Amino acid sequence: MLYTLYEAGYYIAAPLRAAARVTRQYWSSPLNPARETPVGRRLFASADLYANLTRRYGRPDWGIDSVRISGVDVRVRRVEAWSSPWVKLTHFVRDPLDLRRAGRTAAAPAVLIVAPLSGHYATLLRDTVRTFLQDHEVFITDWSNARDVPVLEGRFDFHDYLDHVREMLRRLGPRCHVVAVCQPGPAVLSAAALMAEDGDEGRPASMTFMGSPLDARFSPTVTNKLAEERPFAWFKSNMISTVPLPFAGAGRRVYPGFVQLYSFMSMNMERHQDAHWQYLQDLMNGDGDSAEKHLEFYDEYLSVLDLTEEFYLQTVDIVFQQYLLPKGELTHEGRPVRPSVITDIGLLTVEGELDDISGIGQTQAAHALCTGLPDDLREDYIQPHVGHYGVFNGRRFREEIYPRVAAFIARQEARVAAPAG
């Protein structure tokens, strides 16, 4: 019912949205002599804000056509390396001729970036991908919107997610490097543990966890406290809805992206209100650069996807309520998941000092779980002055965090490539 009401609201607003678009076009037209008047700017700004707030935000474009390496613009194209109904494994292929001009002739380490499946599209990691492309062959998990997956494709839960990670690591192996950003941490560590126990040749050479809730009992945030305080039945009763027509996944039970978006925005509602008010002021004052930056951020932030009911509820239960992985109680297909069996996969954990989603210690917990790893294969880093998104995005990520991650991957690559004995 909630999803149907949300969609009804979208269609009810269609006439006003169309009127706002016409108004915006009229008052921005170079043929309108009054467009630069105070009244004209105010009418344009108001119509533009309404049109943007009420429109539907689809999957954003990656916008990565090239990357600058050693002063050379290296062309980049996207290739689908593997797929299932639930994910596209996307390879960002760098042009070999451009790489030679940049002085890069050696094969680069393959890095699988596992994007979070927590409400936003993988394009949220655009800056992460662009930065890693400087030194690596980059692959990323581009997860599907559950509302677009027909019911006939079946279920997709936490354990299916884990199996997808294992399958992608095998396809990129042997011994590629995996980077888990935020939510995928528990599943990626579990996949690595199972592959290590099996002696799987596709197991990664290194694993990097960035702001991941591997043990959500440490430094609980608002998100963690909500999961602890509410009974499991509350999440099932209040957070799950049915996808309506005309979506391809009509009838599928999901955790809607718009519910997740509201939860995120409510944590900092005043900041978002101020940002939109400032956007309105910038438009009225003719400050196009500031308005453009606002649009770039919110075009990404307001683009959300749905999660399947089973994946969302199992994540709440396994990661945020029962803490099965850190307590040694997680099983997969009847097998216990034991990170302690990992002995030859490098481990790097990265946290943000001001992270208000995955608190300090939640990611570091990986070191306590991987007791079989020698000290020379593990590293921990806390980045000062950054919050959750600063761990994988922005200037401090590019200038301070990424160089550490790249150096760690390079050391593990050299270790694996070194002849035995």
Side-chain angles (χ1 to χ4, degrees):
M1 178 62 72
L2 177 63
Y3 213 133
T4 302
L5 290 174
Y6 175 81
E7 287 298 305
Y10 171 78
Y11 288 110
I12 288 172
L16 288 176
R17 186 164 50 251
R21 288 172 177 166
V22 171
T23 302
R24 179 176 61 184
Q25 190 172 20
Y26 176 77
W27 286 106
S28 63
S29 172
L31 301 178
N32 187 341
R35 71 170 187 155
E36 293 298 335
T37 65
V39 172
R41 286 182 174 178
R42 185 177 295 275
L43 289 171
F44 165 74
S46 301
D48 183 83
L49 181 62
Y50 181 84
N52 281 324
L53 285 177
T54 60
R55 72 181 177 89
R56 196 188 296 282
Y57 287 79
R59 181 186 296 268
D61 186 67
W62 280 100
I64 302 177
D65 299 316
S66 66
V67 60
R68 196 157 186 82
I69 301 175
S70 300
V72 176
D73 287 327
V74 177
R75 288 167 291 181
V76 176
R77 61 188 177 91
R78 297 194 310 277
V79 174
E80 185 179 300
W82 178 77
S83 69
S84 81
W86 300 103
V87 70
K88 290 182 180 178
L89 177 58
T90 301
H91 181 196
F92 289 83
V93 181
R94 303 177 299 174
D95 187 273
L97 294 178
D98 290 343
L99 282 175
R100 290 194 191 99
R101 290 196 299 115
R104 303 292 182 90
T105 56
V111 173
L112 170 62
I113 299 177
V114 184
L117 180 54
S118 56
H120 283 99
Y121 290 96
T123 51
L124 190 68
L125 305 187
R126 184 182 294 104
D127 194 38
T128 316
V129 170
R130 187 181 287 113
T131 305
F132 269 90
L133 277 170
Q134 297 174 57
D135 307 289
H136 308 92
E137 286 296 323
V138 177
F139 299 79
I140 192 167
T141 59
D142 198 350
W143 300 104
S144 302
N145 190 337
R147 77 180 185 193
D148 297 327
V149 182
V151 174
L152 291 177
E153 295 293 349
R155 292 165 48 90
F156 182 81
D157 61 17
F158 178 89
H159 297 282
D160 295 317
Y161 186 106
L162 193 162
D163 284 333
H164 272 64
V165 172
R166 283 201 296 179
E167 178 63 25
M168 288 183 280
L169 285 171
R170 290 192 185 105
R171 289 180 178 271
L172 299 184
R175 312 313 302 271
C176 71
H177 305 267
V178 61
V179 177
V181 180
C182 190
Q183 170 265 331
V188 171
L189 181 56
S190 299
L194 293 171
M195 296 176 82
E197 188 169 27
D198 293 340
D200 195 322
E201 292 184 357
R203 69 189 184 281
S206 75
M207 49 188 178
T208 299
F209 298 100
M210 310 178 76
S212 295
L214 294 166
D215 191 342
R217 294 174 295 183
F218 288 96
S219 305
T221 62
V222 172
T223 304
N224 303 141
K225 291 176 181 177
L226 173 65
E228 288 181 347
E229 293 169 358
R230 303 284 188 179
F232 182 78
W234 182 89
F235 289 93
K236 187 169 185 178
S237 300
N238 293 277
M239 294 297 189
I240 305 300
S241 190
T242 303
V243 177
L245 291 170
F247 297 109
R252 183 179 294 280
R253 297 280 287 171
V254 298
Y255 173 50
F258 62 82
V259 174
Q260 174 77 316
L261 179 62
Y262 175 78
S263 300
F264 277 139
M265 295 190 73
S266 64
M267 294 172 62
N268 297 284
M269 186 60 73
E270 186 174 346
R271 187 182 71 181
H272 291 293
Q273 290 172 343
D274 291 344
H276 282 85
W277 175 253
Q278 185 60 51
Y279 172 68
L280 186 67
Q281 296 297 314
D282 290 337
L283 287 177
M284 290 190 293
N285 294 330
D287 186 354
D289 291 341
S290 296
E292 187 63 29
K293 290 179 181 178
H294 173 95
L295 286 178
E296 286 179 6
F297 174 80
Y298 279 101
D299 280 353
E300 189 72 52
Y301 191 79
L302 298 178
S303 299
V304 292
L305 53 75
D306 300 344
L307 284 60
T308 65
E309 173 186 32
E310 55 273 15
F311 175 80
Y312 171 72
L313 292 178
Q314 284 186 357
T315 299
V316 169
D317 183 48
I318 291 171
V319 178
F320 296 106
Q321 289 196 338
Q322 296 198 59
Y323 318 107
L324 295 184
L325 179 62
K327 289 165 65 175
E329 298 174 3
L330 179 63
T331 60
H332 180 71
E333 297 179 348
R335 295 175 57 186
V337 176
R338 301 184 298 167
S340 60
V341 303
I342 299 174
T343 60
D344 64 351
I345 303 176
L347 170 63
L348 170 62
T349 54
V350 181
E351 295 182 315
E353 178 188 21
L354 307 178
D355 196 329
D356 60 352
I357 294 181
S358 295
I360 293 290
Q362 294 188 16
T363 309
Q364 289 176 338
H367 294 280
L369 297 176
C370 297
T371 55
L373 271 178
D375 291 341
D376 61 341
L377 291 189
R378 58 174 79 229
E379 185 177 326
D380 174 59
Y381 178 65
I382 299 177
Q383 174 63 46
H385 313 303
V386 302
H388 187 70
Y389 293 101
V391 171
F392 57 86
N393 178 66
R395 180 180 61 82
R396 285 197 170 96
F397 164 71
R398 293 189 297 271
E399 297 178 0
E400 301 179 45
I401 294 176
Y402 172 73
R404 293 175 180 270
V405 178
F408 181 79
I409 289 175
R411 289 197 299 273
Q412 305 310 314
E413 182 77 1
R415 171 182 60 86
V416 172

